[in-house]
């Protein structure tokens, strides 16, 4: 018996050594993901990938908090991952800084022709976002559709508001006021999350669609003077009490919860709301999403949408070829089909839209790309004396400060900070002499150091 | 057995290192150093080093990735930074509002709960409980209490007919500061009450007996015995109250995050936003260098106020 046990133990030892040896042969690529909404999906797909082949193994790490700061520390301490996500929506992400610090490497030498063709890598380049000059640092595989007005059909019907017919900002304000009056202190016209980036969720997008943007690309200067009509519309909402009480202190989830409770006529946000309103805060009433109004009713600009689910290779990666294999997998049909079909992201190419045409995308279809959706070339995130402009503009809605003077001061403060930081060598001035706001990706980008 | 304390022999200045170590061990010096070593190491690691780390950036524009030398620019910027100077005024407003409410309440509660009435222990514990709860937690609880829509406070006031519609306590510039001062008082007075109770219990009972025999009433006892005898404790309590009020920001961050329109933005919340970012802007940049400069100036402001207070409060040390 003892002999048999000894033989069995020896066999186990030999087998486990073999298994370990084969595992050791695999190149381990660590991927940091900050995508909480697709966490389970990512884990499942990583498991499938790891089981399917014996060359590369993905070490999946979910890391959503302060990614940039953590990455900076990890790189400095030699504990950086091999791959990290790229998205144009990240608060503190700045590709130029990453490149200047030598943290990421261009994908160009590692991209095969098949990969380029399948992902449209050379077409989906956005200066300062995922590319600098001809160097491509990540290739987006998904988008987050631009903002819509998300409305409660029952409340709108009760108030006699046809939100689908609204074309101008004034009409939207009037609708909110009417909804508030009908609500009689129980339900309100609209809501916003004053404590969680309120400006970018609705007002920014309405301004952009109306041709109002914070940066004059032709002259390479900031200019906030065009925002007056947007701020005035916001002030009308405040004066009429059309914002849900406490709007200024709400974070994003309480805002959604109040909408889902049927207390608000409409609010504005981008395509992430589809997932939230179908799984997290599920309304028991019929809701819909319609396109944004503009100041005049005419579309004179483009709304910036988010490109995401791209993957960068960190410069400390010892095996970029293996890392590229992982990126190829994450950009392939095997990963992307169910990703789109389950509404975890939206296709970035027309081919993919056709491929998943048969799938029921529910409300995600309301957020499909329009002809006026685009990506603006990245402008330096300068640090002005005082508030950042999104905060300053939102605060102006809630104050009675002289608007012309305040917007001029904001413009002057931003340009002074921009000049100073260019002199410091922190940024280069981005100028697009042939900039066309209805097609912002088309111009010729110049970076001027001065 | 009689114990006699042996006086230390005067130290020889020309002792060898070996002799010094031997003397140190014999006289207990090294033991003392070993005993305080963990505290010193922790103090250096958690207090001195972070200060060194942050303050080396006061002359830099540092966004967490790369530091750009800017000389004295951060301090020039600070001189013209209206958000900061307004935050200083808001800090003083908050601190004064908190102090003039919290100290009398704490003193009255301490006097009442120092007597031999039934239930004093229960009330001592009850009033002290907020002190042991995380300020973030009770900030969140009060956030719901003050909620403009369906908040318990609004509901009570509406039912009593004291208000006619929902009041946005935290979103209205006229009420936001009052709301956070209320929470600060609720969260802090139990702590000062306990300190004052300890001070009251150290006052000899025979003083009250003598004064009562001499015909003093309760008010005279309080005014001429209790308050003067509490002087040294009051001095410490006041200093703690002033410095903590000047440094408070956690509850404010949870309840209003400095809003509306910076109405409740206090110095240290402003510093927090500069160094760790503020979610009200999507395109913020970490301003660690400038935040360090603001932190240095804010610490100086708190230091100056404390020194002024200590000079003024010298009289509180005089006990009859």
């Amino acid at each position: 018996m003892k002999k048999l046990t000894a033989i069995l133990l020896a066999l186990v030892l030999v087998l486990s050594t073999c298994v370990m040896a084969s595992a050791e042969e695999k190149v381990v690529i660590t991927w940091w993901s900050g995508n909480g909404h697709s966490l389970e999906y990512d884990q499942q797909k990583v498991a499938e990938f790891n089981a399917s082949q014996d060359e590369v193994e993905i070490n999946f790490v979910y890391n959503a908090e302060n990614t940039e700061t953590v990455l900076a520390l990890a790189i400095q301490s030699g504990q950086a991952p091999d791959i990290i996500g790229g998205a144009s929506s990240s608060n503190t992400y700045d590709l130029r800084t990453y490149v200047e610090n030598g943290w990421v490497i261009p994908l160009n030498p590692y991209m095969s022709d098949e990969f380029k063709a399948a992902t449209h890598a050379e077409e989906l380049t956005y200066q300062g976002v995922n590319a600098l000059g001809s160097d491509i640092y990540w290739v987006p595989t998904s988008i987050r559709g631009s903002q819509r007005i998300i409305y409660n059909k029952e409340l709108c019907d009760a108030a006699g508001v046809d939100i689908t017919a609204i074309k101008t900002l004034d009409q939207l304000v009037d609708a909110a006021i009417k909804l508030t009056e009908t609500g009689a202190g129980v339900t309100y016209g609209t809501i916003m999350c004053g404590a969680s980036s309120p400006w970018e969720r609705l007002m920014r997008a309405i301004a952009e669609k109306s041709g109002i943007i914070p940066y004059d690309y032709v002259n390479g200067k900031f200019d906030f003077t065009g925002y007056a009509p947007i701020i005035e519309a916001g002030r009308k909402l405040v004066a009429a009490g059309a914002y849900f009480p406490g709007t200024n202190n709400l974070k994003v989830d309480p805002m959604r919860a109040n909408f889902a409770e049927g207390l608000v006529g409409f609010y504005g946000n981008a395509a992430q709301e589809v997932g939230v309103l179908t799984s997290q805060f599920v309304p028991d009433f019929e809701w819909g999403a319609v396109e944004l109004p503009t100041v005049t009713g005419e579309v004179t600009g483009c709304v910036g949408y988010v490109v995401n689910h791209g993957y960068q290779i960190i410069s400390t990666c010892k095996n970029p070829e293996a890392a590229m294999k992982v990126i190829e997998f994450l950009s392939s049909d095997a990963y992307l089909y169910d990703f789109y079909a389950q509404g975890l992201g939206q296709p970035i190419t027309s081919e993919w839209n056709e491929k998943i045409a048969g799938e029921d995308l529910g409300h995600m279809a309301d957020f499909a790309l329009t002809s006026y959706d685009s990506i603006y070339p990245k402008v330096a995130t300068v640090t002005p004396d005082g508030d950042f402009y999104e905060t300053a503009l939102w605060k102006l809605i809630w104050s009675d400060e002289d608007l012309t003077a305040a917007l001029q001061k904001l413009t002057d403060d931003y340009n002074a900070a921009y000049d100073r930081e260019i002199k410091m060598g922190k940024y280069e001035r981005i100028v697009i002499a042939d900039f066309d706001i209805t097609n912002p990706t088309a111009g010729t980008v110049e970076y001027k150091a001065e | 057995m009689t114990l006699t304390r042996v006086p230390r022999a005067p130290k020889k200045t020309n002792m060898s290192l070996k002799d010094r170590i031997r003397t140190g061990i014999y006289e207990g010096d090294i033991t003392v150093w070993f005993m305080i070593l963990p505290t010193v190491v922790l103090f250096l690691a958690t207090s001195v080093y972070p200060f060194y780390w942050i303050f080396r950036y006061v002359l830099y524009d540092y966004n967490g990735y790369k530091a750009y030398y800017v000389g004295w620019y951060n301090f020039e910027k600070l001189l013209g930074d209206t958000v900061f100077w307004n935050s200083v005024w808001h800090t003083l407003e908050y601190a004064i509002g908190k102090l003039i409410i919290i100290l009398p309440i704490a003193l009255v509660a301490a006097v009442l709960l120092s007597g031999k009435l039934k239930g004093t222990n229960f009330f001592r514990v009850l009033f002290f409980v907020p002190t042991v709860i995380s300020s973030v937690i009770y900030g969140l609880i009060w956030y719901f209490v003050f909620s403009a829509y369906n908040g318990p406070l609004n509901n009570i006031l509406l039912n009593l007919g004291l208000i006619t519609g929902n009041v946005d306590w935290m979103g209205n510039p006229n009420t936001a500061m009052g709301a956070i001062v209320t929470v600060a008082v609720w969260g802090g007075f139990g702590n000062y009450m306990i300190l004052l109770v300890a001070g009251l219990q150290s006052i000899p009972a025979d003083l009250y007996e003598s004064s009562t025999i001499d015909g003093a009433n309760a008010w005279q006892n309080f005014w001429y015995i209790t308050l003067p005898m509490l002087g040294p404790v009051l001095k410490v309590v006041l200093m703690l109250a002033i410095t903590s009020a000047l440094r408070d920001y956690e509850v404010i961050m949870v309840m209003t995050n400095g809003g509306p329109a910076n109405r409740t933005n206090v110095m240290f919340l402003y510093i927090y936003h500069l160094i760790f970012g503020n979610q009200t802007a999507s395109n913020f940049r970490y301003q660690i260098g400038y935040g360090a400069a603001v932190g240095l100036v804010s610490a100086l402001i708190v230091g100056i106020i404390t020194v002024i207070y200590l000079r003024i409060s010298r009289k509180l040390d005089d006990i009859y």
Side-chain angles (χ1 to χ4, degrees), chain B residues 181 198 271:
Chain B
V181 167
I271 295 165

Side-chain angles (χ1 to χ4, degrees), chain A residues 68 186 197 200 381 395 420, chain B residues 65 73 149 262 279 282-283:
Chain A
E68 278 80 26
V186 178
S197 309
E200 72 167 45
T381 309
K395 282 179 183 171
R420 188 175 59 243
Chain B
Y65 306 130
Y73 173 74
Y149 191 87
N262 288 331
Q279 289 190 343
S282 57
N283 282 318

Side-chain angles (χ1 to χ4, degrees), chain A residues 66 68-69 91-92 94 97 101 103 186 188 194-198 200 244-246 249-251 263 381 383-385 387-391 395 420 424 426-427, chain B residues 61-66 68-70 73 77 81 83 143 148-149 166 168 170-171 255-257 259-262 270 278-287:
Chain A
N66 299 321
E68 278 80 26
T69 315
N91 285 343
T92 50
D94 180 11
T97 309
N101 287 354
W103 290 352
V186 178
Y188 290 81
S196 304
S197 309
E200 72 167 45
F244 185 81
N249 287 309
L250 288 179
K251 288 191 179 271
L263 301 174
T381 309
T383 47
D385 293 356
D387 286 322
F388 287 95
Y389 76 85
E390 296 98 328
T391 310
K395 282 179 183 171
R420 188 175 59 243
M424 205 191 285
K426 199 170 168 184
Y427 295 115
Chain B
D61 178 326
Y62 179 50
N63 57 15
Y65 306 130
K66 200 170 176 180
Y68 299 85
Y69 180 74
V70 292
Y73 173 74
K77 178 176 170 178
D81 185 348
V83 178
Y143 174 86
Y149 191 87
N166 287 321
D168 190 357
M170 295 173 291
M255 289 181 64
T256 62
N257 201 28
N262 288 331
Y270 184 52
N278 185 352
Q279 289 190 343
T280 56
S282 57
N283 282 318
F284 70 84
R285 268 275 172 274
Y286 298 111
Q287 300 182 64

Side-chain angles (χ1 to χ4, degrees), chain B residues 28-38 40:
Chain B
D29 288 358
I30 289 180
T31 314
V32 170
W33 277 109
F34 267 108
M35 287 172 81
I36 63 169
L37 191 63
V40 171

Side-chain angles (χ1 to χ4, degrees), chain A residues 267-317:
Chain A
Y267 74 106
N269 212 353
Q272 70 268 32
E273 297 310 285
V274 176
V276 171
L277 294 177
T278 48
S279 61
Q280 198 177 349
F281 302 104
V282 185
D284 59 1
F285 51 83
E286 191 181 339
W287 64 276
V290 290
E291 291 185 21
L292 301 176
T294 62
V295 172
T296 62
E298 299 294 320
V299 179
T300 48
C302 278
V303 182
Y305 63 92
V306 170
V307 288
N308 52 25
H309 292 277
Y311 308 94
Q312 306 166 86
I313 298 181
I314 303 296
S315 55
T316 50
C317 174

Side-chain angles (χ1 to χ4, degrees), chain B residues 11 16 37 57 66 74-75 100 118 121 152 170-171 187 204 216 222 255 268 281 285-286 304 311 313:
Chain B
K11 282 185 179 170
S16 66
L37 191 63
Y57 287 117
K66 200 170 176 180
N74 284 335
F75 292 96
I100 60 173
K118 272 189 178 176
N121 282 338
M170 295 173 291
F222 175 75
M255 289 181 64
F268 286 90
R285 268 275 172 274
Y286 298 111
I304 289 167
R311 289 185 76 88
S313 65

